[in-house]
Amino acid sequence: LRADAHTLTCAPSFGQFYLYASAMAADSASNVDAAREAGKAAFIQGNFEEARLRFSEALEANPTDAVLLSNRSAALDKLGRQEEAVQDAREAVRADPTYAKAHYRLATALLALGRAGEAESVADTASKRFPANGQLRTLRETAKMQRVAAES
């Protein structure tokens, strides 16, 4: 593909097209990386809306990236938008069931909604799958205490 100020023409050879497509993919990947890094920086600075926007931008190019979904879930949780945080965390777990943090985010968002029984179940299942993860065990116990207190 060749472009100048007045024309846009297709290069006739497959090799030229392939090089152009490769360059576009690399440019897209660098944009995703830039959005991901901007989201992480905004989150660290406490600018959770900006973080949500940047993670959303990165997700446009890769909507099943479990880390991006989990990060956006965390930003949504900090914004008090727990239902949306639960949705993103569930998608992150579906996208990569081996990503422990996605399970943690799901249980945390459920707990924030007062759904302690569900949070306990998620954390319990995840604790069994990731026995070395102390955060999940602690979260499971917290959810259990909240569930018991709510039942009393």
Side-chain angles (χ1 to χ4, degrees):
L1 194 60
R2 189 175 302 126
D4 60 42
H6 303 288
T7 63
L8 180 66
T9 60
C10 288
S13 82
F14 175 77
Q16 288 173 321
F17 175 76
Y18 179 77
L19 289 174
Y20 173 76
S22 296
M24 292 299 291
D27 187 45
S28 176
S30 67
N31 289 341
V32 169
D33 290 341
R36 178 191 316 263
E37 292 307 313
K40 287 163 61 174
F43 191 92
I44 290 167
Q45 294 169 357
N47 189 344
F48 304 118
E49 180 58 22
E50 180 67 19
R52 183 196 67 78
L53 290 171
R54 297 295 70 85
F55 293 136
S56 294
E57 180 182 327
L59 280 162
E60 287 176 15
N62 193 357
T64 60
D65 184 310
V67 174
L68 287 170
L69 285 161
S70 180
N71 288 349
R72 186 171 69 178
S73 176
L76 288 163
D77 186 60
K78 293 288 189 179
L79 291 166
R81 295 166 59 177
Q82 276 75 34
E83 288 291 348
E84 292 169 87
V86 166
Q87 290 173 352
D88 273 0
R90 282 194 200 284
E91 287 300 316
V93 168
R94 275 197 269 295
D96 184 0
T98 67
Y99 186 49
K101 195 176 279 189
H103 297 268
Y104 180 85
R105 300 265 199 249
L106 177 55
T108 300
L110 288 166
L111 199 56
L113 286 169
R115 293 159 55 181
E118 288 177 74
E120 180 184 6
S121 178
V122 168
D124 185 55
T125 301
S127 292
K128 290 173 183 167
R129 184 171 194 159
F130 310 102
N133 191 310
Q135 286 183 314
L136 284 167
R137 286 192 311 273
T138 301
L139 185 57
R140 178 187 61 204
E141 294 307 312
T142 300
K144 181 179 179 178
M145 287 189 299
Q146 287 188 22
R147 178 188 53 79
V148 169
E151 291 172 352
S152 300

